[in-house]
Amino acid sequence: MREEKGGGDLVIGGARRVGDRCIIPVVRTLALSRGGAAVVSLTPVALLFSEGEDEYIALLPGAPLTVRDAIGTLRDDIEREKEKSPG
């Protein structure tokens, strides 16, 4: 569920359905640990919208342009979220 690109891993969040539309967040994660402490940063970078056969992505402010390229490598996770999402 991870893709190494520009300063962290990209992961697919839990999908939600609104009518016929499935909305899936794309989140950049960054984990730092030092000694016995760890810090995790979660930054939403895009929203993937799927409606029937149509699919599009909306980049959020500050999102790296490489997010669009990484979506292909996350396709299995995206499809799994679509199937799990009720509706």
Side-chain angles (χ1 to χ4, degrees):
M1 220 175 187
R2 295 190 169 132
E3 173 63 21
E4 298 264 347
K5 289 272 185 189
D9 292 341
L10 293 180
V11 297
I12 299 300
R16 297 293 179 258
R17 288 222 179 252
V18 178
D20 292 336
R21 183 174 292 157
C22 183
I23 304 169
I24 303 171
V26 180
V27 179
R28 180 175 38 204
T29 65
L30 181 62
L32 303 170
S33 61
R34 185 171 179 171
V39 175
V40 177
S41 170
L42 301 174
T43 306
V45 293
L47 294 173
L48 182 85
F49 296 90
S50 175
E51 193 168 6
E53 295 296 317
D54 297 326
E55 188 174 280
Y56 58 95
I57 189 167
L59 297 180
L60 299 176
L65 296 177
T66 58
V67 169
R68 288 186 193 276
D69 298 332
I71 292 300
T73 64
L74 299 169
R75 181 57 48 198
D76 289 342
D77 296 327
I78 291 168
E79 294 304 320
R80 189 171 20 259
E81 282 302 315
K82 285 182 189 178
E83 291 173 11
K84 287 186 345 186
S85 179

